[in-house]
Amino acid sequence: MSRYYTFTAKDAVEYARQFGGVADPQSLVTADEIGDGNLNLVFKIRDTAGKSRVIVKQALPYVRCVGESWPLTLDRARIEAETLIIHSQYCPQHTVTVLHHDAELAVMVQEDLSDHHIWRSELVQGKYYPQASAQLGEYLAQTLFHTSDFFQNAQSKKAEVSRFTNPELCQITEDLFFTDPYVDHERNNFDAVLQPEVDALRADKPLRLAVAGLKHRFLSKAEALLHGDIHSGSIFVAEGKLKAIDAEFGYYGPLGFDPGSAMGNLLLNYCGLPGLVGVREAAEGREQRLKDVRELWLSFSERFLQLARDKSQDPTLAEPGYAEVFLQEVWHDAVGYCGAELIRRTIGLAHVADLDSIKEAAMRADCQRHALSLGQKLILTAQQISDVESLIARIRQFS
């Protein structure tokens, strides 16, 4: 019989007392449920002084934003905890610390990050963290290199691919990224004013062919242990600090997917800025987003190549020049996945505040059209965009 039950605030406090690792467990007395995502319960556990000390997170057996009509595996909590633990081995400074997890209860205890802020919220408010993109690039390079064939023993990696098989969460990505936006599906969500653009997108045969290639690579390339949902809402930032959270979509997939998703979210903010801060004020913020995209890719790619030179374990993959060839393939994938993120966050199920919080309806629609158009063009031209400087030139051209 399963031990699983859905936690109340009281249950979360008691669990934190047992497994939170605090010196004075009885000082933990209250819990605030703060989960605002699509899948889980998240409790902030406070002490007698009202200070938040640890986080208790529990998976629900369904998609929270939809309800019990969309059941979902609880094994995602194990996958999330173990993904974060592995990522923390290789990049502890930029990965949230898992203090404890219980697969049967689908629960984990994490370090408290109350001194950090969700990066998306900060971007929407126009707050700039100059080191964040380079730190995210470091996180991606360390976690993706060390779980790839460059570093892992081939037999061990095959076993890890099996351990991190995540079919239900991958199905969500496969549907929401690569299928739903390009068909008439009930999960899609967009204002009627965008219908002409949506119809044109769905009728674009070359686009649909390119998206098919992106989906096929997502289905078949087991290149590294991905975070799987690395966007500005799953990243905490503070002055000089960054931490990745929420890795329940972790699985072995195409190495370009994580960098592409991250770049796509920076560009969603780029598209939304005229509606968030005004057309005149948006110029500086847009230049900062382009700088973020550049620094993210350069930080990731330069560190990945350095790791490949210094730490590759497979003698064939260590052949001088091969990592550069491989990374060029990763780059083209990343540009395509970046475009897919722009489209799905605009007309699919899961939207972002960078666009949806724009109050003026006509401006919001213009920003959404820009995101759709930019995403479409990046997918179609991904194989022709040779490097990040060419990408930035294309973004300026498409704006």
Side-chain angles (χ1 to χ4, degrees):
M1 178 181 293
S2 172
R3 294 167 46 236
Y4 181 86
Y5 62 95
T6 302
F7 274 24
T8 64
K10 182 178 179 181
D11 295 325
V13 170
E14 182 56 36
Y15 202 82
R17 287 174 175 172
Q18 294 182 62
F19 301 110
V22 299
D24 49 347
Q26 293 308 309
S27 70
L28 303 178
V29 292
T30 61
D32 300 328
E33 208 285 297
I34 59 169
D36 59 356
N38 297 322
L39 300 178
N40 306 298
L41 294 172
V42 183
F43 296 94
K44 189 182 282 282
I45 311 300
R46 299 185 183 276
D47 62 19
T48 53
K51 180 181 178 181
S52 182
R53 301 285 293 278
V54 294
I55 299 297
V56 173
K57 180 175 181 179
Q58 186 182 41
L60 293 167
Y62 51 83
V63 177
R64 182 176 184 177
C65 67
V66 176
E68 295 184 19
S69 63
W70 190 346
L72 198 59
T73 177
L74 293 173
D75 189 49
R76 71 183 192 273
R78 174 194 64 83
I79 288 174
E80 176 178 14
E82 293 179 0
T83 298
L84 290 171
I85 289 168
I86 288 174
H87 283 190
S88 188
Q89 288 176 12
Y90 299 116
C91 196
Q93 71 274 31
H94 298 315
T95 310
V96 67
T97 300
V98 176
L99 302 169
H100 170 83
H101 77 101
D102 184 313
E104 195 168 358
L105 287 174
V107 66
M108 76 178 86
V109 184
Q110 299 178 351
E111 67 171 316
D112 180 76
L113 294 173
S114 292
D115 61 337
H116 289 59
H117 306 279
I118 293 292
W119 197 14
R120 188 185 306 285
S121 299
E122 300 295 278
L123 290 171
V124 168
Q125 295 173 41
K127 297 179 182 178
Y128 184 44
Y129 290 80
Q131 295 176 299
S133 289
Q135 291 170 334
L136 178 55
E138 176 74 9
Y139 165 79
L140 293 173
Q142 294 286 355
T143 58
L144 296 175
F145 171 81
H146 284 103
T147 59
S148 75
D149 291 296
F150 286 88
F151 184 76
Q152 282 194 305
N153 170 274
Q155 280 12 57
S156 299
K157 178 171 172 283
K158 289 177 174 63
E160 290 293 272
V161 170
S162 177
R163 180 159 75 103
F164 285 96
T165 297
N166 196 357
E168 289 192 34
L169 275 293
C170 285
Q171 179 77 55
I172 292 175
T173 301
E174 292 150 14
D175 289 345
L176 299 191
F177 261 84
F178 309 115
T179 301
D180 291 0
Y182 307 95
V183 298
D184 184 11
H185 197 285
E186 63 184 5
R187 284 193 294 258
N188 290 328
N189 174 26
F190 56 88
D191 292 334
V193 69
L194 295 179
Q195 191 66 56
E197 286 77 16
V198 173
D199 290 342
L201 181 146
R202 292 173 179 168
D204 189 331
K205 179 67 171 176
L207 177 69
R208 292 170 65 95
L209 283 173
V211 171
L214 290 170
K215 182 174 184 177
H216 195 191
R217 293 192 287 279
F218 186 87
L219 290 167
S220 60
K221 278 189 170 184
E223 292 179 333
L225 178 57
L226 308 182
H227 177 285
D229 196 27
I230 191 73
H231 54 77
S232 53
S234 60
I235 297 168
F236 271 105
V237 293
E239 204 63 46
K241 295 187 279 187
L242 177 143
K243 292 263 189 173
I245 62 168
D246 291 352
E248 57 259 76
F249 284 82
Y251 94 114
Y252 272 79
L255 206 142
F257 186 78
D258 276 0
S261 296
M263 292 191 299
N265 276 267
L266 290 170
L267 293 180
L268 284 163
N269 186 260
Y270 174 92
C271 292
L273 276 170
L276 295 170
V277 300
V279 175
R280 291 184 179 179
E281 295 82 359
E284 181 180 356
R286 282 186 155 188
E287 286 304 309
Q288 289 173 344
R289 289 300 81 74
L290 295 181
K291 181 180 178 182
D292 285 336
V293 169
R294 178 187 292 110
E295 290 184 349
L296 169 59
W297 178 258
L298 292 179
S299 172
F300 162 72
S301 59
E302 290 171 3
R303 176 65 77 185
F304 190 97
L305 290 175
Q306 180 185 26
L307 290 167
R309 287 191 294 269
D310 296 344
K311 300 181 70 174
S312 288
Q313 301 297 302
D314 186 290
T316 305
L317 301 188
E319 180 69 22
Y322 177 70
E324 286 82 356
V325 172
F326 171 74
L327 208 58
Q328 190 64 26
E329 297 177 3
V330 171
W331 165 251
H332 291 309
D333 276 356
V335 174
Y337 290 127
C338 172
E341 176 75 351
L342 284 161
I343 290 172
R344 73 106 173 183
R345 291 290 193 178
T346 305
I347 62 174
L349 173 67
H351 286 206
V352 292
D354 309 75
L355 296 176
D356 278 15
S357 63
I358 298 171
K359 294 180 180 179
E360 205 276 307
M363 176 58 79
R364 183 172 63 250
D366 283 345
C367 293
Q368 290 170 332
R369 290 189 186 99
H370 185 193
L372 282 178
S373 175
L374 181 57
Q376 185 175 6
K377 289 181 171 71
L378 292 182
I379 292 172
L380 287 170
T381 63
Q383 296 302 313
Q384 287 78 53
I385 299 175
S386 59
D387 55 32
V388 71
E389 296 303 332
S390 300
L391 172 64
I392 289 171
R394 290 291 182 100
I395 293 167
R396 289 196 171 109
Q397 175 188 347
F398 298 151
S399 301

